[in-house]
Amino acid sequence: MRLLRSTDLALRFLMRLAVAGETTPTTREVAASMEVPYTHAAKVVAELQHLGLLEARRGRGGGLSLTEKGRKASVGGLVRTFEGEGDVVECEGATPCPLNAACRLRGALRRAQEAFFASLDPIKIEDIVADPTGPVLLGISRRV
Protein backbone atom coordinates (compact mmCIF):
# COMPACT_ATOMS: atom_id res chain seq x y z
CA MET A 1 0.00 0.00 0.00
CA ARG A 2 1.27 3.45 -0.85
CA LEU A 3 0.32 6.43 1.32
CA LEU A 4 -0.96 9.67 -0.10
CA ARG A 5 1.44 12.60 0.04
CA SER A 6 -0.86 14.38 2.50
CA THR A 7 -0.79 11.38 4.86
CA ASP A 8 3.00 11.30 4.76
CA LEU A 9 3.20 15.05 5.44
CA ALA A 10 0.70 14.84 8.30
CA LEU A 11 2.70 12.11 10.02
CA ARG A 12 6.01 13.93 9.52
CA PHE A 13 4.60 17.25 10.75
CA LEU A 14 3.23 15.64 13.90
CA MET A 15 6.52 13.85 14.48
CA ARG A 16 8.47 17.09 14.07
CA LEU A 17 6.20 18.97 16.45
CA ALA A 18 6.35 16.13 18.99
CA VAL A 19 10.07 16.85 19.47
CA ALA A 20 9.82 20.65 19.27
CA GLY A 21 9.72 21.14 23.04
CA GLU A 22 9.02 24.76 23.94
CA THR A 23 9.77 26.08 20.46
CA THR A 24 6.88 26.84 18.11
CA PRO A 25 8.14 26.57 14.53
CA THR A 26 6.07 28.07 11.75
CA THR A 27 4.51 26.08 8.93
CA ARG A 28 7.03 27.62 6.57
CA GLU A 29 9.97 26.58 8.79
CA VAL A 30 8.80 22.99 9.14
CA ALA A 31 8.04 22.76 5.41
CA ALA A 32 11.52 24.06 4.60
CA SER A 33 13.20 21.61 6.99
CA MET A 34 11.32 18.74 5.34
CA GLU A 35 11.91 20.14 1.86
CA VAL A 36 8.21 20.12 0.94
CA PRO A 37 6.20 22.87 -0.79
CA TYR A 38 4.69 25.39 1.62
CA THR A 39 1.28 25.18 -0.10
CA HIS A 40 1.07 21.42 0.52
CA ALA A 41 2.22 21.87 4.11
CA ALA A 42 -0.34 24.62 4.77
CA LYS A 43 -3.22 22.37 3.62
CA VAL A 44 -2.06 19.55 5.87
CA VAL A 45 -1.60 21.91 8.83
CA ALA A 46 -5.15 23.22 8.34
CA GLU A 47 -6.53 19.67 8.42
CA LEU A 48 -4.47 18.72 11.49
CA GLN A 49 -5.67 21.86 13.23
CA HIS A 50 -9.27 21.02 12.30
CA LEU A 51 -8.76 17.55 13.84
CA GLY A 52 -7.48 19.15 17.05
CA LEU A 53 -4.04 17.56 16.75
CA LEU A 54 -2.09 20.80 16.59
CA GLU A 55 -2.52 24.46 17.36
CA ALA A 56 -1.49 27.16 14.93
CA ARG A 57 -1.03 30.70 16.19
CA ARG A 58 -0.51 33.65 13.85
CA GLY A 59 1.52 36.77 14.31
CA ARG A 60 4.51 37.63 16.42
CA GLY A 61 5.31 34.77 18.76
CA GLY A 62 3.06 32.47 16.76
CA GLY A 63 3.80 29.08 15.33
CA LEU A 64 2.75 25.47 15.56
CA SER A 65 2.48 23.29 18.62
CA LEU A 66 1.28 19.76 19.15
CA THR A 67 -1.76 19.28 21.38
CA GLU A 68 -1.99 16.49 23.92
CA LYS A 69 -4.54 14.86 21.61
CA GLY A 70 -1.94 15.04 18.82
CA ARG A 71 0.76 13.49 21.01
CA LYS A 72 -1.54 10.57 21.90
CA ALA A 73 -3.05 10.23 18.40
CA SER A 74 -3.08 6.76 16.90
CA VAL A 75 -1.01 6.45 13.74
CA GLY A 76 -3.62 4.02 12.38
CA GLY A 77 -6.45 6.47 13.06
CA LEU A 78 -4.54 9.28 11.40
CA VAL A 79 -3.74 7.18 8.34
CA ARG A 80 -7.41 6.15 8.08
CA THR A 81 -8.50 9.79 8.29
CA PHE A 82 -6.14 11.01 5.57
CA GLU A 83 -6.39 7.96 3.31
CA GLY A 84 -10.14 7.50 3.64
CA GLU A 85 -11.98 4.22 3.83
CA GLY A 86 -12.04 3.66 0.07
CA ASP A 87 -11.17 0.43 -1.66
CA VAL A 88 -7.60 -0.40 -2.66
CA VAL A 89 -8.72 -1.04 -6.23
CA GLU A 90 -11.24 0.77 -8.40
CA CYS A 91 -13.98 -1.74 -9.22
CA GLU A 92 -16.56 0.73 -10.44
CA GLY A 93 -16.36 3.98 -12.35
CA ALA A 94 -16.05 4.76 -16.05
CA THR A 95 -15.21 1.15 -16.95
CA PRO A 96 -16.54 -1.12 -14.18
CA CYS A 97 -14.86 -4.47 -13.67
CA PRO A 98 -16.85 -7.30 -15.31
CA LEU A 99 -16.15 -9.49 -12.25
CA ASN A 100 -17.69 -6.98 -9.86
CA ALA A 101 -20.72 -9.14 -9.01
CA ALA A 102 -18.71 -12.28 -8.25
CA CYS A 103 -15.26 -11.02 -7.27
CA ARG A 104 -13.41 -12.32 -4.23
CA LEU A 105 -10.36 -10.12 -4.74
CA ARG A 106 -12.08 -6.93 -3.60
CA GLY A 107 -12.96 -8.43 -0.20
CA ALA A 108 -9.48 -9.89 0.25
CA LEU A 109 -7.89 -6.53 -0.51
CA ARG A 110 -10.28 -4.76 1.87
CA ARG A 111 -9.32 -7.19 4.66
CA ALA A 112 -5.63 -6.65 3.93
CA GLN A 113 -6.11 -2.88 4.04
CA GLU A 114 -7.88 -3.14 7.39
CA ALA A 115 -5.08 -5.37 8.73
CA PHE A 116 -2.60 -2.67 7.66
CA PHE A 117 -4.56 0.02 9.52
CA ALA A 118 -5.08 -2.24 12.54
CA SER A 119 -1.34 -2.89 12.83
CA LEU A 120 -0.83 0.89 13.12
CA ASP A 121 -3.69 1.50 15.59
CA PRO A 122 -1.75 0.87 18.83
CA ILE A 123 1.16 3.08 17.75
CA LYS A 124 0.96 6.67 19.01
CA ILE A 125 2.78 9.72 17.65
CA GLU A 126 4.81 9.90 20.85
CA ASP A 127 5.95 6.29 20.27
CA ILE A 128 7.42 6.98 16.84
CA VAL A 129 9.56 9.90 18.00
CA ALA A 130 11.35 7.98 20.76
CA ASP A 131 15.13 7.58 20.44
CA PRO A 132 16.78 7.45 17.98
CA THR A 133 14.17 9.25 15.84
CA GLY A 134 13.60 12.34 18.01
CA PRO A 135 17.21 13.57 18.07
CA VAL A 136 17.51 13.03 14.31
CA LEU A 137 14.37 15.11 13.72
CA LEU A 138 15.80 17.90 15.86
CA GLY A 139 19.10 17.74 13.99
CA ILE A 140 17.35 18.09 10.65
CA SER A 141 15.35 21.06 11.91
CA ARG A 142 18.41 22.94 13.17
CA ARG A 143 20.14 22.79 9.77
CA VAL A 144 17.52 25.03 8.18
Coordinates of all heavy atoms in Angstrom, one line a residue, residues 66-119:
L66 N 2.0 21.0 19.1 CA 1.3 19.8 19.2 C 0.4 19.8 20.4 O 0.8 20.2 21.5 CB 2.3 18.6 19.2 CG 1.7 17.2 19.0 CD1 1.1 17.0 17.6 CD2 2.8 16.2 19.3
T67 N -0.9 19.4 20.2 CA -1.8 19.3 21.4 C -1.5 17.9 22.1 O -0.9 17.0 21.5 CB -3.2 19.4 20.9 OG1 -3.5 18.3 20.1 CG2 -3.5 20.7 20.2
E68 N -2.1 17.8 23.2 CA -2.0 16.5 23.9 C -2.7 15.4 23.1 O -2.2 14.3 23.0 CB -2.6 16.6 25.3 CG -2.3 15.4 26.2 CD -0.9 15.1 26.4 OE1 0.0 15.9 26.4 OE2 -0.6 13.9 26.6
K69 N -3.8 15.8 22.5 CA -4.5 14.9 21.6 C -3.6 14.4 20.5 O -3.6 13.3 20.1 CB -5.8 15.5 21.1 CG -6.6 14.6 20.2 CD -7.9 15.4 19.7 CE -8.7 14.5 18.7 NZ -9.9 15.2 18.2
G70 N -2.9 15.4 19.9 CA -1.9 15.0 18.8 C -0.8 14.1 19.3 O -0.4 13.2 18.5
R71 N -0.3 14.3 20.5 CA 0.8 13.5 21.0 C 0.3 12.0 21.2 O 1.0 11.1 21.0 CB 1.2 14.1 22.3 CG 2.5 13.5 22.9 CD 3.0 14.3 24.1 NE 3.3 15.6 23.8 CZ 4.4 16.0 23.1 NH1 5.2 15.1 22.6 NH2 4.6 17.3 22.8
K72 N -1.0 11.9 21.6 CA -1.5 10.6 21.9 C -2.3 10.0 20.7 O -2.8 8.9 20.8 CB -2.5 10.7 23.1 CG -1.9 11.2 24.3 CD -1.0 10.2 25.0 CE -0.5 10.8 26.3 NZ 0.5 10.0 26.9
A73 N -2.3 10.7 19.6 CA -3.0 10.2 18.4 C -2.5 8.9 17.9 O -1.3 8.7 17.8 CB -3.0 11.3 17.3
S74 N -3.4 8.1 17.5 CA -3.1 6.8 16.9 C -2.6 7.0 15.5 O -3.3 7.7 14.7 CB -4.3 5.9 16.9 OG -4.2 4.8 16.0
V75 N -1.5 6.4 15.1 CA -1.0 6.5 13.7 C -2.0 5.8 12.8 O -2.3 6.3 11.7 CB 0.4 5.8 13.6 CG1 0.8 5.7 12.2 CG2 1.4 6.6 14.4
G76 N -2.6 4.7 13.2 CA -3.6 4.0 12.4 C -4.8 4.9 12.1 O -5.3 5.0 11.0
G77 N -5.3 5.6 13.2 CA -6.4 6.5 13.1 C -6.1 7.6 12.1 O -7.0 8.0 11.3
L78 N -4.9 8.2 12.3 CA -4.5 9.3 11.4 C -4.4 8.8 9.9 O -4.9 9.5 9.0 CB -3.2 9.8 11.9 CG -2.8 11.1 11.2 CD1 -3.7 12.3 11.6 CD2 -1.3 11.4 11.5
V79 N -3.9 7.7 9.7 CA -3.7 7.2 8.3 C -5.1 6.9 7.8 O -5.4 7.3 6.6 CB -2.9 5.9 8.3 CG1 -2.9 5.3 6.9 CG2 -1.4 6.3 8.7
R80 N -6.0 6.4 8.5 CA -7.4 6.1 8.1 C -8.1 7.5 7.7 O -8.7 7.6 6.7 CB -8.3 5.5 9.2 CG -8.3 4.1 9.2 CD -9.4 3.6 10.2 NE -9.1 2.2 10.4 CZ -8.3 1.7 11.3 NH1 -7.6 2.5 12.1 NH2 -8.2 0.4 11.5
T81 N -7.9 8.5 8.5 CA -8.5 9.8 8.3 C -8.0 10.4 7.0 O -8.8 10.9 6.2 CB -8.2 10.8 9.5 OG1 -8.8 10.2 10.6 CG2 -8.8 12.1 9.2
F82 N -6.7 10.4 6.8 CA -6.1 11.0 5.6 C -6.3 10.1 4.3 O -6.5 10.7 3.2 CB -4.7 11.4 5.8 CG -4.5 12.7 6.4 CD1 -4.6 12.8 7.8 CD2 -4.2 13.8 5.7 CE1 -4.4 14.1 8.4 CE2 -4.1 15.1 6.3 CZ -4.2 15.2 7.7
E83 N -6.3 8.8 4.5 CA -6.4 8.0 3.3 C -7.8 7.7 2.9 O -8.1 7.4 1.8 CB -5.7 6.6 3.6 CG -4.2 6.6 3.8 CD -3.5 7.0 2.5 OE1 -3.8 6.4 1.4 OE2 -2.6 7.8 2.5
G84 N -8.7 7.8 3.9 CA -10.1 7.5 3.6 C -10.4 6.0 3.7 O -9.4 5.2 3.8
E85 N -11.6 5.6 3.7 CA -12.0 4.2 3.8 C -12.2 3.6 2.5 O -12.8 2.5 2.4 CB -13.2 4.1 4.7 CG -13.1 4.6 6.1 CD -12.2 3.6 7.0 OE1 -12.2 2.4 6.7 OE2 -11.6 4.1 8.0
G86 N -11.8 4.2 1.4 CA -12.0 3.7 0.1 C -11.3 2.3 -0.2 O -10.5 1.9 0.6
D87 N -11.8 1.7 -1.3 CA -11.2 0.4 -1.7 C -9.8 0.6 -2.2 O -9.4 1.7 -2.8 CB -12.0 -0.3 -2.7 CG -13.3 -0.8 -2.1 OD1 -13.3 -1.2 -1.0 OD2 -14.4 -0.7 -2.8
V88 N -9.0 -0.4 -2.1 CA -7.6 -0.4 -2.7 C -7.6 -0.3 -4.2 O -6.8 0.3 -4.8 CB -6.8 -1.6 -2.2 CG1 -5.4 -1.7 -2.8 CG2 -6.7 -1.6 -0.7
V89 N -8.6 -1.0 -4.8 CA -8.7 -1.0 -6.2 C -10.0 -0.4 -6.6 O -11.0 -0.4 -5.9 CB -8.7 -2.5 -6.8 CG1 -7.3 -3.1 -6.6 CG2 -9.7 -3.4 -6.2
E90 N -10.1 0.1 -7.8 CA -11.2 0.8 -8.4 C -12.0 -0.3 -9.2 O -11.6 -0.7 -10.2 CB -10.8 1.9 -9.3 CG -12.0 2.7 -9.9 CD -12.7 3.5 -8.9 OE1 -12.1 4.0 -8.0 OE2 -13.9 3.7 -9.1
C91 N -13.2 -0.7 -8.6 CA -14.0 -1.7 -9.2 C -15.1 -1.2 -10.0 O -15.8 -1.9 -10.8 CB -14.5 -2.7 -8.2 SG -13.2 -3.6 -7.3
E92 N -15.5 0.1 -9.7 CA -16.6 0.7 -10.4 C -16.0 2.0 -11.1 O -14.8 2.3 -11.0 CB -17.7 1.1 -9.4 CG -18.2 -0.2 -8.8 CD -19.1 0.0 -7.6 OE1 -19.5 1.2 -7.4 OE2 -19.4 -0.9 -6.9
G93 N -16.8 2.8 -11.7 CA -16.4 4.0 -12.4 C -16.7 4.0 -13.8 O -17.6 3.3 -14.3
A94 N -15.8 4.6 -14.6 CA -16.1 4.8 -16.0 C -16.1 3.4 -16.7 O -16.9 3.2 -17.6 CB -15.0 5.6 -16.7
T95 N -15.2 2.5 -16.4 CA -15.2 1.2 -17.0 C -15.2 0.1 -15.8 O -14.2 -0.3 -15.3 CB -14.0 0.9 -17.8 OG1 -12.8 1.2 -17.0 CG2 -14.0 1.8 -19.1
P96 N -16.4 -0.2 -15.3 CA -16.5 -1.1 -14.2 C -16.0 -2.5 -14.5 O -16.0 -2.9 -15.7 CB -18.0 -1.2 -13.9 CG -18.7 -0.4 -14.9 CD -17.7 0.2 -15.8
C97 N -15.4 -3.1 -13.5 CA -14.9 -4.5 -13.7 C -16.0 -5.5 -14.0 O -17.0 -5.5 -13.3 CB -14.1 -4.9 -12.4 SG -13.5 -6.5 -12.4
P98 N -15.8 -6.3 -15.0 CA -16.8 -7.3 -15.3 C -17.0 -8.4 -14.2 O -18.0 -9.1 -14.2 CB -16.4 -7.9 -16.6 CG -14.9 -7.6 -16.7 CD -14.7 -6.4 -15.9
L99 N -16.0 -8.5 -13.3 CA -16.1 -9.5 -12.2 C -16.8 -8.9 -11.0 O -16.9 -9.6 -10.0 CB -14.7 -10.0 -11.9 CG -14.0 -10.7 -12.9 CD1 -12.6 -11.0 -12.4 CD2 -14.7 -12.0 -13.3
N100 N -17.2 -7.7 -11.0 CA -17.7 -7.0 -9.9 C -18.7 -7.8 -9.1 O -18.7 -7.8 -7.8 CB -18.3 -5.6 -10.3 CG -18.3 -4.7 -9.1 OD1 -17.7 -4.9 -8.1 ND2 -19.0 -3.5 -9.3
A101 N -19.7 -8.4 -9.7 CA -20.7 -9.1 -9.0 C -20.2 -10.4 -8.3 O -20.9 -10.9 -7.4 CB -21.9 -9.5 -10.0
A102 N -19.1 -11.0 -8.8 CA -18.7 -12.3 -8.2 C -17.2 -12.3 -7.8 O -16.6 -13.3 -7.7 CB -18.9 -13.4 -9.3
C103 N -16.7 -11.1 -7.6 CA -15.3 -11.0 -7.3 C -14.9 -11.3 -5.8 O -15.6 -10.8 -4.9 CB -14.8 -9.6 -7.6 SG -13.0 -9.4 -7.4
R104 N -13.9 -12.1 -5.6 CA -13.4 -12.3 -4.2 C -12.2 -11.5 -3.9 O -11.8 -11.3 -2.8 CB -13.1 -13.8 -4.1 CG -14.3 -14.7 -4.1 CD -13.9 -16.1 -3.9 NE -15.1 -16.9 -3.8 CZ -15.1 -18.1 -3.3 NH1 -13.9 -18.7 -3.0 NH2 -16.2 -18.8 -3.2
L105 N -11.6 -10.9 -4.9 CA -10.4 -10.1 -4.7 C -10.6 -8.9 -4.0 O -9.9 -8.5 -3.0 CB -9.7 -9.8 -6.1 CG -8.5 -8.9 -6.0 CD1 -7.4 -9.6 -5.3 CD2 -8.0 -8.5 -7.4
R106 N -11.7 -8.2 -4.3 CA -12.1 -6.9 -3.6 C -12.2 -7.1 -2.1 O -11.6 -6.3 -1.3 CB -13.4 -6.4 -4.2 CG -13.8 -5.1 -3.7 CD -15.1 -4.6 -4.3 NE -15.4 -3.2 -4.1 CZ -16.4 -2.6 -4.6 NH1 -17.3 -3.3 -5.3 NH2 -16.6 -1.4 -4.3
G107 N -12.8 -8.1 -1.6 CA -13.0 -8.4 -0.2 C -11.6 -8.8 0.4 O -11.3 -8.3 1.5
A108 N -10.8 -9.5 -0.3 CA -9.5 -9.9 0.2 C -8.6 -8.6 0.4 O -7.9 -8.5 1.4 CB -8.8 -10.9 -0.7
L109 N -8.7 -7.8 -0.6 CA -7.9 -6.5 -0.5 C -8.4 -5.6 0.6 O -7.6 -4.9 1.3 CB -7.9 -5.8 -1.9 CG -7.1 -6.5 -3.0 CD1 -7.4 -5.8 -4.3 CD2 -5.6 -6.6 -2.6
R110 N -9.7 -5.6 0.8 CA -10.3 -4.8 1.9 C -9.8 -5.3 3.2 O -9.5 -4.5 4.1 CB -11.8 -4.8 1.8 CG -12.4 -3.8 2.8 CD -13.9 -3.7 2.6 NE -14.3 -3.0 1.3 CZ -15.2 -3.5 0.5 NH1 -15.8 -4.6 0.7 NH2 -15.4 -2.9 -0.6
R111 N -9.8 -6.6 3.4 CA -9.3 -7.2 4.7 C -7.8 -6.9 4.9 O -7.4 -6.6 6.0 CB -9.6 -8.7 4.7 CG -11.1 -9.0 4.9 CD -11.3 -10.5 5.1 NE -10.9 -11.4 4.0 CZ -11.6 -11.6 2.9 NH1 -12.8 -11.1 2.7 NH2 -11.1 -12.4 1.9
A112 N -7.1 -7.0 3.8 CA -5.6 -6.7 3.9 C -5.4 -5.2 4.3 O -4.6 -4.9 5.1 CB -4.9 -7.0 2.6
Q113 N -6.2 -4.3 3.7 CA -6.1 -2.9 4.0 C -6.5 -2.7 5.5 O -5.8 -1.9 6.2 CB -7.1 -2.1 3.1 CG -7.0 -0.6 3.4 CD -8.0 0.1 2.5 OE1 -9.1 -0.4 2.1 NE2 -7.7 1.4 2.2
E114 N -7.5 -3.3 6.0 CA -7.9 -3.1 7.4 C -6.8 -3.7 8.3 O -6.5 -3.2 9.4 CB -9.2 -3.8 7.7 CG -9.7 -3.6 9.1 CD -9.7 -2.2 9.6 OE1 -10.0 -1.2 8.8 OE2 -9.3 -2.0 10.8
A115 N -6.2 -4.8 7.9 CA -5.1 -5.4 8.7 C -3.9 -4.4 8.8 O -3.3 -4.2 9.8 CB -4.6 -6.7 8.1
F116 N -3.6 -3.7 7.7 CA -2.6 -2.7 7.7 C -2.9 -1.6 8.7 O -2.1 -1.2 9.5 CB -2.5 -2.1 6.2 CG -1.6 -0.9 6.1 CD1 -0.2 -1.1 6.1 CD2 -2.1 0.3 5.9 CE1 0.6 0.0 5.9 CE2 -1.3 1.4 5.8 CZ 0.1 1.3 5.8
F117 N -4.1 -1.0 8.6 CA -4.6 0.0 9.5 C -4.5 -0.5 11.0 O -4.0 0.2 11.8 CB -6.0 0.5 9.2 CG -6.1 1.3 7.9 CD1 -7.3 1.2 7.2 CD2 -5.1 2.1 7.5 CE1 -7.4 1.9 6.0 CE2 -5.3 2.8 6.3 CZ -6.4 2.7 5.5
A118 N -5.0 -1.7 11.2 CA -5.1 -2.2 12.5 C -3.7 -2.4 13.1 O -3.5 -2.2 14.4 CB -5.8 -3.6 12.5
S119 N -2.7 -2.7 12.3 CA -1.3 -2.9 12.8 C -0.8 -1.5 13.3 O 0.1 -1.5 14.1 CB -0.4 -3.5 11.8 OG -0.2 -2.7 10.7

